[in-house]
Amino acid sequence: MTTEVTSSPGTGQDPAAAARRTSQVLLGRVEEHLRSFLTAEHDTWATVDERAVVAVDALSDLVASGGKRIRPAFCVTGHLAAGGDPDDGAIVAAAAALEMLHVSALVHDDVFDASTRRRGEPTVHAHHSALHTANAWQGEARRFGESVAVLVGDLALVYSDQLMSSAPATVLEVWNTLRAELMIGQYMDIAAAAEFSVDPRLSRLVALVKSGHYTIHRPLAVGASVAGRPDLAPAFKEYGEAVGEAFQLRDDLLDAFGDAADTGKPAGLDFQQHKMTLLLGWAMQRDDRIRTLVTSGRHAPAEVRDRLLDTGVPADVEAHIADLVERGCKAIADAPIDTVWRDELTAMATKVAYRNA
């Protein structure tokens, strides 16, 4: 079964433009759904106590601050590629749930990474630690800020479930798997950082479990499931895993070499937190001195970056990203979807793998 996209009568719009417009309209509905959901929650809790809205407002601020909306975009595209009804409210709720889950992960990630900036603004824990200090409250400011962030992230997790409850029951299996993978991948990430052993196999596994599945593969599967097309799962899995790993590797390169003004967060966090990325693992295999630079705590990020460039590994990672994008696009070459959606998924693969933020 394939879904043919044709231009609207009288519009003169080509199929690709029509498909993209349909996706954008759906993503606009996702934005509105998130805003209206959080506004309703604020209004409900505002009647209880002024403190009761703090966590809700922290989520609202983070959602309103922007973001790439990659997971909702792949969810919506998976749904439309599978022939799903663009007017089905279930796909809007499912895509919103994926973004809310992502917000939960971001808030917790910032605590794990001791990051002070997110999207150009103070992170939840940094903001509330500063608030504690400014008000001379009792207890430890850092513990207060991190406690608030844990609760805010947990609230987003609860809300993601509430949002997903409007999707068909057939989505539950992939939704439950996605959430478990995310948590287990997060643990593997912090454990690998603590052990700091050179193991490229583990680095790639963490990238796949923590990011590849959760960012692209499972959102596509959620969208197809809402559309009632489980037969697309194998192709979406191969595409999603390859492009998802490419996405994570680009993230690693941006952390090492990106501009904080573009990324919205401090550069070099992976070095500071001893994240055993594939980039760092490959480089340490070639130059043992990089380990000393990273673990000493006295390194300048520029010095680590220069040493990484000397190993030639960044260029190898770029080549690996290109191979992954090619592999992902080949995976959907014969998938039973309309050509316009195959082309759209190909364009999306390139976009996420070669982004600058």
Side-chain angles (χ1 to χ4, degrees):
M1 173 181 172
T2 61
T3 302
E4 184 178 356
V5 178
T6 58
S7 59
S8 302
T11 65
Q13 193 177 51
D14 65 61
R20 200 163 294 118
R21 173 62 181 163
T22 301
S23 296
Q24 290 304 313
V25 168
L26 259 177
L27 287 172
R29 289 172 59 197
V30 172
E31 290 296 311
E32 179 54 35
H33 194 55
L34 285 166
R35 283 194 297 269
S36 61
F37 177 89
L38 289 168
T39 297
E41 284 296 302
H42 171 94
D43 292 346
T44 296
W45 289 105
T47 63
V48 176
D49 187 271
E50 63 182 13
R51 299 170 188 81
V53 299
V54 170
V56 180
D57 289 350
L59 292 177
S60 296
D61 290 344
L62 193 50
V63 169
S65 68
K68 295 177 282 293
R69 304 296 194 257
I70 290 174
R71 292 146 196 88
F74 276 101
C75 179
V76 163
T77 302
H79 178 74
L80 295 173
D85 182 358
D87 294 323
D88 186 352
I91 191 60
V92 173
L98 285 163
E99 184 62 21
M100 190 64 76
L101 177 65
H102 181 52
V103 170
S104 172
L106 291 182
V107 175
H108 288 161
D109 258 352
D110 288 338
V111 175
F112 301 156
D113 297 341
S115 178
T116 59
R117 308 291 290 179
R118 168 70 64 181
R119 297 173 181 169
E121 299 294 331
T123 53
V124 173
H125 72 274
H127 170 73
H128 286 277
S129 292
L131 189 65
H132 183 286
T133 299
N135 286 286
W137 288 339
Q138 298 299 307
E140 183 184 349
R142 175 185 170 185
R143 182 177 292 275
F144 175 80
E146 291 181 350
S147 297
V148 172
V150 168
L151 294 170
V152 169
D154 285 352
L155 182 62
L157 187 62
V158 171
Y159 284 165
S160 70
D161 249 2
Q162 286 183 231
L163 290 163
M164 191 59 82
S165 67
S166 297
T170 53
V171 173
L172 287 179
E173 183 177 357
V174 64
W175 175 240
N176 290 337
T177 300
L178 182 159
R179 289 181 300 154
E181 282 173 336
L182 173 59
M183 304 308 170
I184 291 170
Q186 293 278 52
Y187 168 76
M188 292 172 64
D189 190 31
I190 62 175
E195 296 166 12
F196 206 58
S197 58
V198 179
D199 186 351
R201 181 203 63 83
L202 177 60
S203 297
R204 292 191 65 184
L205 181 61
V206 170
L208 178 62
V209 176
K210 180 188 173 185
S211 185
H213 287 307
Y214 149 72
T215 303
I216 297 174
H217 167 210
R218 303 296 183 194
L220 281 170
V222 167
S225 182
V226 173
R229 289 289 304 279
D231 59 297
L232 289 174
F236 280 171
K237 178 178 186 294
E238 190 173 352
Y239 168 94
E241 288 183 351
V243 179
E245 184 181 353
F247 169 87
Q248 183 58 53
L249 291 176
R250 177 59 58 196
D251 218 40
D252 298 341
L253 286 170
L254 286 172
D255 181 87
F257 302 103
D259 188 334
D262 293 327
T263 62
K265 56 185 179 180
L269 278 177
D270 286 349
F271 303 151
Q272 294 175 23
Q273 298 301 318
H274 304 160
K275 293 292 182 72
M276 187 47 72
T277 62
L278 186 63
L279 169 70
L280 197 55
W282 277 354
M284 286 168 56
Q285 284 183 323
R286 299 183 188 181
D287 187 345
D288 288 337
R289 293 169 296 179
I290 292 176
R291 170 187 286 275
T292 302
L293 277 177
V294 173
T295 58
S296 68
R298 298 185 299 272
H299 68 279
E303 187 178 359
V304 178
R305 287 193 288 269
D306 289 345
R307 191 62 60 84
L308 286 172
L309 289 170
D310 289 343
T311 67
V313 165
D316 291 343
V317 171
E318 288 285 3
H320 187 46
I321 288 173
D323 288 343
L324 288 166
V325 171
E326 182 179 3
R327 186 192 313 169
C329 293
K330 283 182 178 178
I332 56 169
D334 298 319
I337 58 178
D338 190 80
T339 301
V340 70
W341 293 113
R342 187 176 297 111
D343 292 345
E344 181 64 12
L345 285 167
T346 298
M348 290 173 75
T350 301
K351 183 177 181 180
V352 299
Y354 293 100
R355 69 194 191 283
N356 65 357

